[in-house]
Amino acid sequence: MAPPPSLVPDDAGLRLRGRAGCPDDPAGGGGGGGDRREGDAVVGDSQHQKQPELLWYRASAPAHRRVRESPLSSDAIFRQSHAGLLNLCIVVLIAVNSRLIIENIMKYGLLIRAGFWFSGTSLGDWPLLMCCLTLPIFPLAALVAEKLAQRKLISEHVVILLHIVITTSVLVYPVVVILKCDSAVLSGFVLMFLASIIWLKLVSFAHTNYDIRMLSKSIEQGTAHGISIDPENIKGPNLKRLVYFMWAPTLCYQPSYPRTTYIRKGWVVRQLIKCVVFTGLMGFIIEQYINPIVKNSKHPLKGNFLNAIERVLKLSVPTLYVWLCMFYCFFHLWLNILAELLRFGDREFYKDWWNAKTVEEYWRMWNMPVHKWIIRHIYFPCIRNGLSKGVAILISFLVSAAFHELCIAVPCHIFKSWAFIGIMFQIPLVFLTKYLQDKFNNTMVGNMIFWFFFSILGQPMCVLLYYHDVMNRQQAQSSR
């Protein structure tokens, strides 16, 4: 009987070297065929596997050969895959929330009302619908101004003035309509959201075309040395480019975009089904959980402090679910559907913001269309004009806060600046989480601070504040 094979430790594991007498020959004098890796050992062919003595392990073979960390230790946790733990969390969330949903329905019944989707008030908001249908007038006016400037029929100062009037009007017009009509909050929010998108797009359209004219003038004068210019990106505007830009899932104008070759119709249908499902889930959570909690609460700044904290914490989970569903529906499903239908190639609508270690990282990653617009049309122009980085960041947050307040306060007819304060409160959190990240390197303290202040505390507090202010306004109007 042949002696057992020798076990030679190496970096890849324990390796079986074949039969004694031929330690370096993989065939081992007993059969052809190459070796096959199995676990941490390389064994011979099927003939060798039939002989039990070839699977003997020497007790003298070292079991510990190098320094290693436990997978969950602080030095190794970010180098490991946690897909299994993520699956476990998803299964637990589904199980726990399924029980809570069943318990809620058994206790209170089904609270879904058709009025959440279609109500007499919403159907009566025809002035808002007409305002929405007439908003395309402003992009067409911007195109006319650019055409006049392209043909040098008006000066640069005049075209800038025209764009200021156009972009200002695209915001003032819907604000006046909403405030005059006392419309439903949801209808007003949709109109302000669309108007804000058009404003951002028109600012980019005007700013980019102005820069294109300056570049073209530099080329004509021969002063554009050292600047790499793609001819496709300095073409003048036309109706086709403007219409594509107004529908494209981007806020940054350019004459041409990277395009895909074809449309995946089956993929679009699947994403639309997901979008309907998750929109229905949002409606269910709002009607079944958020509305009853809010109705049974008091104004968080006027009632008992402990009661307010209890309401905020109870409201935090359903509002977090709605916010995550909204993110998935809009940023992943809807923008990708729009990109697929338009064959729009750049689909980086968000990054892995859930892993952000500071609040600054979160704001750079969670909404890429707005982030790219702010970098391109606010941050870099501020830097080029000699402002410091801190001032440029402050101006960027001011613009973001103003639009958050505009989109919420105008439909609610409440100007208490809660949304504005909430966004501006992010600035000290930016410095706090950056300080913690620098002090405790490679930690997720900043990530946990973001989740706590933004999702657990901030969003429920804003919901309660705006709800009670709206109810107080309606009660004051009815008592007159």
Side-chain angles (χ1 to χ4, degrees), residues 20-132:
C22 299
D24 295 325
D25 181 11
D35 296 335
R36 176 174 60 86
R37 181 169 295 279
E38 181 178 303
D40 285 336
V42 176
V43 299
D45 57 17
S46 59
Q47 288 184 347
H48 288 175
Q49 294 177 29
K50 293 178 181 178
Q51 302 181 27
E53 63 269 19
L54 293 181
L55 299 179
W56 291 353
Y57 283 84
R58 287 283 184 89
S60 60
H64 308 283
R65 300 186 303 280
R66 60 176 180 264
V67 176
R68 303 186 191 201
E69 294 288 343
S70 298
L72 294 180
S73 65
S74 58
D75 292 332
I77 189 170
F78 296 112
R79 299 196 299 266
Q80 301 290 329
S81 172
H82 301 94
L85 291 177
L86 177 62
N87 290 336
L88 173 63
C89 291
I90 293 173
V91 170
V92 170
L93 281 173
I94 292 173
V96 171
N97 287 281
S98 297
R99 183 193 68 80
L100 292 175
I101 290 172
I102 294 172
E103 180 182 346
N104 182 276
I105 293 175
M106 291 174 62
K107 188 174 181 179
Y108 301 106
L110 196 63
L111 302 177
I112 301 296
R113 300 167 299 171
F116 175 77
W117 305 102
F118 303 102
S119 66
T121 306
S122 298
L123 294 175
D125 287 337
W126 63 267
L128 273 68
L129 177 61
M130 295 305 298
C131 178
C132 184

Side-chain angles (χ1 to χ4, degrees), residues 277-323:
V277 170
F278 277 91
T279 302
L281 179 60
M282 281 192 288
F284 175 80
I285 295 173
I286 291 171
E287 286 290 283
Q288 195 74 23
Y289 291 94
I290 294 179
N291 280 351
I293 295 173
V294 171
K295 288 177 180 178
N296 294 326
S297 66
K298 297 180 180 179
H299 197 289
L301 300 182
K302 297 178 182 178
N304 182 272
F305 177 74
L306 289 178
N307 181 266
I309 293 297
E310 187 272 337
R311 290 287 97 179
V312 166
L313 293 178
K314 189 172 184 178
L315 197 59
S316 62
V317 175
T319 53
L320 176 61
Y321 287 166
V322 169
W323 182 68

Side-chain angles (χ1 to χ4, degrees), residues 1-41:
M1 184 176 69
S6 61
L7 291 168
V8 182
D10 61 8
D11 289 339
L14 301 178
R15 188 180 297 275
L16 288 156
R17 287 297 186 95
R19 292 189 179 185
C22 299
D24 295 325
D25 181 11
D35 296 335
R36 176 174 60 86
R37 181 169 295 279
E38 181 178 303
D40 285 336

Side-chain angles (χ1 to χ4, degrees), residues 21 26 39 94 112 154 218 259 270 281 294 316 323 352 389 479:
I94 292 173
I112 301 296
I154 56 176
S218 298
R259 306 284 294 276
R270 290 194 296 272
L281 179 60
V294 171
S316 62
W323 182 68
D352 57 333
K389 179 180 177 181
S479 63

